[in-house]
Amino acid sequence: GHQPAEPAGHHAADPTARPTVPSAARPAERPAPRPPFSPRLAQLPADLPFFTGRSVELERARELVPLDGSVPATVLISAIGGMAGVGKTTLAVHLAHQVAAHFPDGQLCVNLHGFDPSGSVTPPAEAVRVLLDALGVPPQRIPAGLEAQTALYRSVLAERRVLILLDNARDSEQVRPLLPGSPGCLVIVTSRNQLTGLVAGEGAHPLTLNQLTLTEAHAFLARRLGAGRLAREPEAVDEIIARCAQLPLALAVVAARAATHPDFPLSAIAEELRDSDGSLDAFAGDDSIDVRTVFSSSYEALSAPAARLFRLLSLHSGPDISTPAAAALAGLAPREARGPLVELTHAHLLTEHFPGRYTLHDLLRVYAAERVHAEEAARERDAAVERLVSWYLHTADAAYPLITPTRSRVPLEPAPASCRPLSFTTHDQALDWCETERSNLVGAVHQAAAAGLTGMAWRLPAVLWGFFYLRSHLSDWYNTTRAGLAAARAAHDRPGEAQALADLASALRSAGRYEEAIDHYHRTVTICRELGDAEGRLRAVGNLGDAYLHSGQYAKAVEYSRRGLALDRKVGSVWGEGIALSNLGDAYQRLGRYDDAVRCLEQALTVLRAGGNRWVEGVTLDVLGTVHHRLGAHDRAVDHYEQALTAHRDIANRWGEGHTLGHLGDVQLAAGEPEAADDSWRQALAIFTEFDHPDAAKIEEKLASLRLTAP
């Protein structure tokens, strides 16, 4: 039926003000968000313990940073370029660690995926949002549009000394919006392209990396294998270096192979390289030695389970993968996947960038994709993708009731027998998993749509409804629901189309695009009527009332809230009836129809209490308090606000608590109790400051006004 994840929210005393939709209930103790700027930003990856050589390049780059600690007159930009696998990122990270002390306000790091094999280049707008999030700017404070986001980003960095590493850029246009606007910062950019636009237009200092010199390559292997082992077979060492094209990545893979087998003569490893077939044509070195030869020798030494997992990992479309997701991809239990993952990591065919989370270097992803198409039948590739998307869907579904406990579940198709979704025990745990996997979940929706997995394509955004709503990931919400809708329509899946239309409408409503949301809800009603889906129609009608309320169309809000109420009563949905009555009362009070508002809201309380809907009970009590305040019944207003506070606190609705404290201060001031108002507003300010809520500014204005009028 009609669900409490979509009620009208708390509102100001002004009857024309638009309501604020509260977040879902939170546990009693929630970690406070970061402050607007954290002085302890430290996003740099770990420095390579075996870093060798590049002394000339490092010295040139270090010359950018004033040795006396003075603030440079401009933004410092070092553009590190070179072919894939040449060590650009390794050098950039090493350099960043060496000079980090000169930038005391911290370090930021973003992978721009400029040459991702899947073509998923990070657009500047997404990169700016990632940086703003790292700098502590809450999602609701981030404006729409790249220009406004860039302006905010530069404002946050003003008068700060921050080191920013932008890795794997596609071109100058991708980087330019990410540059600070004021002096004091160092930006290190890596790219396979020559960023001539940054050099010419932004004064960037270019640094092009070539293959390691022979001396550096020898030192590279000596650090990993020991100088004595190299000295015993100098000719084999020379051949290994030549066949690796002096590329650090290739040398690291071969060194891992040799280090894992200390009893293998280096001449045997050199012979493996010599005898291997195939080549990575697109990444051949200047001497025509193919990097694929290096990868092949390591790949062929893998156990069968590790080699299969390596191949299948190329089918994953996200930026990284967890151990359970990798297990699902391969149809294994997590414990069965750990051994192959460790083997791949030790062989330098996979990087564990965070405990239990793995990435494939782009060259290795290309090679793995070649192997999976050569060695796995199309039906097995399709089955692997289906297993992976199904795992994401069913794990997201396990998080859903903790994030939105009052909303009905989305009916799912049965999971494959090998699917072992995660389980969650707390609201925070469920939200944190969704946040960690957000890019992968978004990618899974698009991958499902592309693979013809229509049901998963629209169901996954549906079960992510509460997560997208609470965390304000409006762009992801909009894009995934659009993809699900397109997939459902292409497959003539009418139930899927109805669900996707409703979810897209919710995303549009949260983004303030009310007229589009209203249109989509009307389309949902039409399809649900055609399908005989009474529950879907009921929810869409109720949401229409809420959308009209948000858009300021109060007469329409009353009309559709009444219709929703009638439908709730017809199907016997006590839960939906209470919410419909609360929304109807909210609409009446905005129209100044206070008697009607009180009647509806009192009825709502009776129904809500019978159904145990404590969250919407708190919202309803707050609305009643506002009605009595406007009628001049100060004591009754205070009583209802205090009851609302109790309800909010019972379910840890901290934002609701802050709103009601603000309203309580209003009525206390009107009743001639400025000291009590001051206390309520200070409590509200503490809550809004804790969550960096924009309403903090309104409360500060009230407190400032109170100080000015104090005797």
Side-chain angles (χ1 to χ4, degrees):
H2 186 46
Q3 297 302 322
E6 297 125 315
H10 297 278
H11 46 79
D14 182 358
T16 65
R18 289 179 180 173
T20 301
V21 181
S23 67
R26 287 176 169 79
E29 294 186 6
R30 297 275 294 157
R34 290 164 292 186
F37 184 91
S38 170
R40 297 184 178 178
L41 288 171
Q43 294 191 338
L44 292 179
D47 197 5
L48 186 68
F50 299 118
F51 188 88
T52 306
R54 303 296 194 193
S55 57
V56 174
E57 292 89 344
L58 282 169
E59 185 58 34
R60 283 182 54 198
R62 279 195 298 260
E63 289 174 358
L64 284 174
V65 183
L67 297 178
D68 60 1
S70 62
V71 179
T74 62
V75 177
L76 303 174
I77 307 170
S78 178
I80 302 176
M83 66 175 291
V86 80
K88 301 180 295 297
T89 299
T90 301
L91 175 66
V93 170
H94 186 70
L95 169 64
H97 278 284
Q98 288 198 331
V99 302
H102 294 279
F103 301 90
D105 291 317
Q107 311 97 42
L108 296 167
C109 182
V110 178
N111 187 343
L112 299 177
H113 298 285
F115 296 87
D116 193 294
S118 68
S120 302
V121 179
T122 301
E126 182 179 336
V128 169
R129 288 195 297 271
V130 169
L131 290 165
L132 286 170
D133 179 68
L135 290 164
V137 179
Q140 64 269 24
R141 289 283 186 87
I142 299 177
L146 177 58
E147 186 174 346
Q149 291 168 355
T150 300
L152 176 59
Y153 166 69
R154 288 171 176 163
S155 296
V156 174
L157 286 180
E159 300 180 3
R160 302 285 182 177
R161 298 205 66 179
V162 177
L163 188 154
I164 304 162
L165 174 55
L166 304 175
D167 191 30
N168 199 14
R170 182 76 176 187
D171 51 34
S172 299
E173 293 304 313
Q174 189 187 23
V175 171
R176 196 166 281 114
L178 312 180
L179 300 177
S182 52
C185 295
L186 169 63
V187 182
I188 303 175
V189 187
T190 72
S191 178
R192 291 183 202 166
N193 279 339
Q194 293 182 343
L195 301 177
T196 53
L198 289 185
V199 176
E202 313 297 336
H205 295 260
L207 183 64
T208 300
L209 292 190
N210 296 308
Q211 293 96 327
L212 295 174
T213 66
L214 291 175
T215 300
E216 288 172 335
H218 274 88
F220 185 103
L221 292 175
R223 289 288 299 271
R224 289 158 174 77
L225 303 178
R229 189 174 180 187
L230 267 61
R232 289 191 292 272
E233 298 185 76
E235 292 182 1
V237 172
D238 290 342
E239 183 174 358
I240 289 171
I241 291 172
R243 293 194 175 276
C244 287
Q246 298 164 227
L247 287 173
L249 177 62
L251 287 165
V253 174
V254 176
R257 169 94 167 119
T260 303
H261 300 282
D263 53 331
F264 280 17
L266 295 180
S267 58
I269 292 185
E271 185 176 356
E272 286 181 341
L273 296 176
R274 189 186 319 131
D275 294 340
S276 294
D277 295 327
S279 64
L280 278 167
D281 299 330
F283 299 97
D286 291 341
D287 57 0
S288 298
I289 300 299
D290 296 320
V291 176
R292 185 187 288 115
T293 303
V294 178
F295 295 157
S296 295
S297 67
S298 187
Y299 170 75
E300 290 165 5
L302 294 172
S303 66
R308 176 175 177 267
L309 180 57
F310 175 73
R311 295 192 297 270
L312 294 178
L313 284 171
S314 68
L315 301 174
H316 180 251
S317 63
D320 70 350
I321 192 168
S322 66
T323 298
L329 177 70
L332 303 171
R335 67 179 182 278
E336 296 171 325
R338 290 191 184 101
L341 287 168
V342 168
E343 184 178 348
L344 292 171
T345 303
H346 287 172
H348 283 252
L349 291 172
L350 198 62
T351 300
E352 188 175 16
H353 71 95
F354 188 81
R357 300 200 69 85
Y358 301 86
T359 59
L360 267 178
H361 184 278
D362 48 8
L363 291 183
L364 290 166
R365 185 183 292 273
V366 170
Y367 180 74
E370 292 179 354
R371 300 319 314 152
V372 80
H373 281 85
E375 300 182 42
E376 302 287 349
R379 63 179 179 277
E380 174 51 29
R381 298 197 300 269
D382 294 343
V385 170
E386 184 172 358
R387 286 193 300 264
L388 179 66
V389 176
S390 181
W391 182 84
Y392 281 124
L393 171 62
H394 285 271
T395 302
D397 180 63
Y400 180 90
L402 289 166
I403 297 172
T404 50
T406 58
R407 236 175 158 248
S408 59
R409 301 286 283 271
V410 178
L412 302 186
E413 296 168 340
S418 63
C419 183
R420 299 172 177 84
L422 302 179
S423 60
F424 307 95
T425 56
T426 68
H427 178 270
D428 283 4
Q429 188 185 35
L431 270 180
D432 288 346
W433 178 84
C434 290
E435 191 64 67
T436 299
E437 297 286 354
R438 178 161 62 99
S439 294
N440 291 322
L441 290 165
V442 170
V445 173
H446 293 287
Q447 194 165 12
L453 301 171
T454 303
M456 296 186 195
W458 63 260
R459 284 184 172 93
L460 187 47
V463 300
L464 292 171
W465 191 100
F467 166 65
F468 286 146
Y469 175 79
L470 289 179
R471 290 294 173 92
S472 297
H473 294 309
L474 301 184
S475 178
D476 287 340
W477 194 3
Y478 175 73
N479 289 330
T480 53
T481 52
R482 280 193 67 193
L485 177 59
R489 283 175 169 167
H492 305 290
D493 180 347
R494 294 291 273 173
E497 182 178 358
Q499 179 70 57
L501 273 168
D503 291 333
L504 180 54
S506 295
L508 290 165
R509 183 186 57 187
S510 294
R513 296 164 62 175
Y514 302 120
E515 293 304 320
E516 292 174 83
I518 288 167
D519 176 67
H520 282 69
Y521 282 134
H522 278 297
R523 292 172 185 265
T524 305
V525 170
T526 299
I527 297 177
C528 288
R529 185 183 293 115
E530 167 196 321
L531 296 172
D533 179 3
E535 182 178 349
R537 180 184 168 203
L538 184 154
R539 184 184 295 136
V541 168
N543 283 331
L544 271 168
D546 191 51
Y548 279 123
L549 187 67
H550 278 74
S551 68
Q553 300 178 66
Y554 300 133
K556 285 281 192 181
V558 169
E559 175 190 348
Y560 279 90
S561 293
R562 281 176 170 170
R563 289 177 59 183
L565 177 61
L567 287 169
D568 283 315
R569 286 172 170 168
K570 183 177 180 180
V571 301
S573 173
V574 176
W575 194 271
E577 181 184 356
I579 297 169
L581 283 166
S582 181
N583 285 341
L584 184 58
D586 195 356
Y588 281 147
Q589 68 89 13
R590 293 173 186 278
L591 288 167
R593 296 170 56 178
Y594 299 127
D595 290 344
D596 290 333
V598 170
R599 175 178 52 82
C600 277
L601 293 167
E602 293 287 359
Q603 289 181 41
L605 285 179
T606 300
V607 175
L608 290 165
R609 286 166 176 164
N613 192 337
R614 193 70 167 143
W615 174 30
V616 182
E617 181 185 351
V619 174
T620 306
L621 286 163
D622 181 273
V623 178
L624 266 171
T626 298
V627 172
H628 289 302
H629 179 194
R630 293 175 181 176
L631 292 171
H634 295 156
D635 290 345
R636 297 193 70 183
V638 169
D639 179 59
H640 282 92
Y641 284 143
E642 288 178 345
Q643 290 183 57
L645 286 173
T646 301
H648 292 324
R649 288 164 180 162
D650 283 350
I651 58 169
N653 184 354
R654 294 284 282 159
W655 286 5
E657 184 181 351
H659 283 292
T660 299
L661 283 166
H663 297 158
L664 179 60
D666 293 341
V667 75
Q668 288 167 333
L669 182 64
E673 301 174 10
E675 291 183 1
D678 181 83
D679 181 62
S680 295
W681 285 339
R682 288 185 184 279
Q683 292 181 58
L685 180 61
I687 291 171
F688 289 141
T689 301
E690 174 187 348
F691 288 95
D692 200 20
H693 193 281
D695 280 1
K698 298 176 185 177
I699 300 297
E700 286 174 342
E701 290 175 5
K702 292 181 179 183
L703 287 168
S705 176
L706 190 61
R707 287 192 293 269
L708 289 174
T709 58

